[in-house]
Amino acid sequence: MTPELIKENILLEDGRTLSIETGDLACQANGSAVVRMANTSLIATVVVSTEEKKGVNFLPLNIDYREKYSAGGKIPGGFIKREGRPSDEEILTMRLVDRLLRPLFPKIFYKEIQIMISLLSYDIKVLPDGLAGLVASTAVFISGIPFKGPVSAVRIIRMKNLFIINPGIEDVKKSDIDLIVGGSINSILMVEGEMKEVSEKEIIKIIKIAHFYIKRQIKAQINLLKKIKNKYIYKINFNIKNNNFFYLKEKLNFLFFDKIYNIYKQFYKKKNREKKINILLNNIKKIFFNDNIIIHENEIDIIFFEIKKKIIREIICKENIRLDGRSLDDIRNISSKVDFLPGVHGSAIFSRGETQALSTVTLGSSLDVNKIDNVIIQDKQKFYLHYNFPPFSTGEIKLLKGVSRREIGHGNLAQRALKNIIPFDNPYTIRVVSDVLESNGSSSMATVCASTLALMDAGIPIKRPVSGISMGLIFNKFTGEALILSDLLGDEDNIGDMDFKITGTKYGMTACQMDIKIYGISYDMLLNTILKAKKGIIFIINNMLTTLNSPRISLKPTAPKIYTLNIPKTFIGAVIGPGGKIIQEIQSSTETNIKIEEKENLGKIEILGKNYNKIKDAIEKIKSIVFFPKIGKIYKAKVKYIKTFGVFVELSKGIEGLLHISEISWKKLTNLENSIKIGNFINVKYLGKNNKNGKIKLSHKILLSRK
């Protein structure tokens, strides 16, 4: 049967067309779709396993997003000329799609689902990450897999008070709000992005505009499905929740509900609470296995988690008390220290309850920039942040297999929160590293706070301090009320309906990331959450300022110093020398690092070193090479040679000129050696160059009074 192309177009107000299509590519997948806008094209495929994955109590969903180098007309760099492991930017897009789609699959669906998205063609005017959610949702929606969709997402920016949907990379650089918003036909599911100290009302406004376009994209998916013939309807395998399962759930609930409830009502610290819960769970398993009741261990885990979730939510909803005894709005105890590691350029440790982050700042030159060179981005980041989440932070043992997707995502969020408060004219490359030493929720927000203090400790004159807080949401089924929780705990995140991380200064938001586990939330809930978060952000900032109330005036003694200067482009080669000999000698003798690049018809020189006197020495060496006398300026010149017709003097190293005998004195001189000695210094005025022979003209007598 010949594949048949089925297509649906969406015409945008700015005249651009967004299209979704299916039917002629990747037909052996359960579902496939292509999205096109301008010359940016993505394909998404979805495949579901025929059997359920054994031993899991979660949806085994795997999202993969890759950018083909051919899409941007490039060949991969390096020795192996093919695409390798995913870049950080690709991983961030995978996480966006995962957060958009995961809540919409049935919780009891345990068959593996793999969604693969590929960038086939790239247009600099349309970034692909804003289209990834649409193409993935389309592929799943037409596949017949159980799915509460369709949904979609858009990237939206504000540039000069104009809102642009699915912008190009150059427009994003000029924007003050940059968000990716995901949603269903009725509500918002996901928000992520950065902004330059923007108010909560402005954020709600841009989210509403984004939702307008999301709804149009959802309707297009519905229309596309209507055009498809022989649609396959997937049937869910309900084996895991058979009669025996429900019987066991009732039995566990009857026998152990009160014991679990009592553990949570004691308001233990995380470690003690988990220990007591795990002891009880192991005892339950022993009882059921000893009674010869046929049950899989993961079924007990599923039932036990459902009971735990019910109990925690009931305590919060009925009693307005949380697992650590706080009220809904309370923020955990905060403590912080700066200059925690005296040997580094800047450091701070920030603790909030049982979450603790240690951040360090390292200052470098432009040679230390984070170079990004992929299909979409060619950039040199002067500020970047790395986030590490070691297993001991949660009392676990895990094999370290490199940086996880979670670490990349949390690090990116913290970096976006802080990047716009770094001064634009800062000469340093700044690397911040945050190590989470202890975690019980909101470790990425602790990273923002610790990193702010570390930057201040390093003497970086940030515009304003930034803090962050994670907000939660629980729907109270008894009253229909949505309860907002400030400063989430780990368990509250696991059983709650939302995790909304918000960062900002006292003047506005700088970054956010929201994901939910329910089918969307309303604008009012979003606004109320942001308003509560703002109070928490200001409270935390005020607490941080009691530790260090402003950036240090000077850098630490261990920090490098940077000096920059410009030279005429024609002197670049002279400073570098043949084979780099001269610049290497200067670096070696002065213990500095020197970088030269041609920019704007000048040679931009950057000198980095720890000893100011040695930096000064390097500057003098460079200035002596690029010395170029200015007409009318007076120089202290050293006498090198004496001749009958005048003396040769050195204005600077390698720059010599003839001071003619007629320009030494107003009196007539016959024997110069009687009045001038080799090695003496004499003031001379530079008069320019001789038009005929190009030699420099100097005068001493012009500085003397004529008698």
Side-chain angles (χ1 to χ4, degrees), residues 226-242:
K226 290 177 180 178
K227 297 178 181 179
I228 299 174
K229 301 173 183 177
N230 303 319
K231 293 186 286 289
Y232 173 68
I233 305 300
Y234 206 94
K235 293 183 179 179
I236 310 177
N237 187 340
F238 282 93
N239 286 341
I240 195 160
K241 287 206 170 183
N242 51 31

Side-chain angles (χ1 to χ4, degrees), residues 455-506:
L455 287 166
M456 294 168 65
D457 182 55
I460 301 300
I462 61 174
K463 295 177 184 176
R464 276 170 287 278
V466 178
S467 76
I469 190 169
S470 185
M471 308 295 291
L473 189 75
I474 292 180
F475 282 101
N476 188 338
K477 69 178 183 180
F478 304 104
T479 64
E481 181 185 7
L483 302 179
I484 299 171
L485 310 181
S486 295
D487 186 20
L488 276 186
L489 294 174
D491 279 337
E492 292 171 342
D493 185 11
N494 291 335
I495 62 90
D497 300 319
M498 177 184 75
D499 179 13
F500 197 172
K501 300 178 180 72
I502 302 173
T503 70
T505 68
K506 63 180 181 180

Side-chain angles (χ1 to χ4, degrees), residues 343-469:
V344 303
H345 302 162
S347 64
I349 192 160
F350 179 88
S351 300
R352 181 163 49 203
E354 296 174 285
T355 297
Q356 185 180 72
L358 170 63
S359 287
T360 59
V361 171
T362 306
L363 305 179
S365 71
S366 56
L367 295 171
D368 302 304
V369 296
N370 183 30
K371 296 178 182 177
I372 302 175
D373 185 12
N374 55 39
V375 180
I376 309 299
I377 303 173
Q378 291 78 48
D379 195 14
K380 295 179 180 179
Q381 293 180 334
K382 287 186 66 178
F383 170 74
Y384 49 98
L385 187 150
H386 293 150
Y387 166 98
N388 299 315
F389 192 83
F392 66 77
S393 64
T394 53
E396 297 175 283
I397 299 173
K398 289 182 181 178
L399 183 64
L400 299 179
K401 297 181 179 179
V403 183
S404 69
R405 292 186 179 186
R406 181 181 186 276
E407 288 173 309
I408 290 171
H410 280 30
N412 179 67
L413 175 61
Q415 179 174 315
R416 297 178 104 178
L418 297 169
K419 62 182 282 191
N420 290 315
I421 57 103
I422 305 292
F424 179 76
D425 58 354
N426 162 64
Y428 290 96
T429 293
I430 303 173
R431 180 185 184 231
V432 178
V433 177
S434 175
D435 292 294
V436 178
L437 305 181
E438 187 180 358
S439 178
N440 187 13
S442 306
S443 61
S444 62
M445 298 297 92
T447 287
V448 172
C449 299
S451 300
T452 294
L453 288 170
L455 287 166
M456 294 168 65
D457 182 55
I460 301 300
I462 61 174
K463 295 177 184 176
R464 276 170 287 278
V466 178
S467 76
I469 190 169

Side-chain angles (χ1 to χ4, degrees), residues 622-651:
I622 292 172
K623 284 185 174 180
S624 69
I625 296 172
V626 301
F627 176 79
F628 192 81
K630 295 182 179 180
I631 295 175
K633 190 170 182 180
I634 300 169
Y635 295 94
K636 189 176 183 180
K638 185 178 182 179
V639 178
K640 301 288 288 185
Y641 312 104
I642 301 176
K643 303 292 182 181
T644 56
F645 51 82
V647 297
F648 285 93
V649 296
E650 184 182 61
L651 301 180

Side-chain angles (χ1 to χ4, degrees), residues 67-70 73-84 373 375:
E67 295 172 349
K68 306 289 186 183
Y69 272 79
S70 59
K74 295 182 178 181
I75 295 175
F79 182 75
I80 301 174
K81 298 296 182 182
R82 67 180 301 156
E83 286 80 2
D373 185 12
V375 180

Side-chain angles (χ1 to χ4, degrees), residues 557-577:
T558 55
K561 284 75 179 174
I562 284 183
Y563 186 90
T564 59
L565 70 155
N566 298 327
I567 63 173
K569 185 176 75 170
T570 53
F571 283 99
I572 293 176
V575 174
I576 295 173

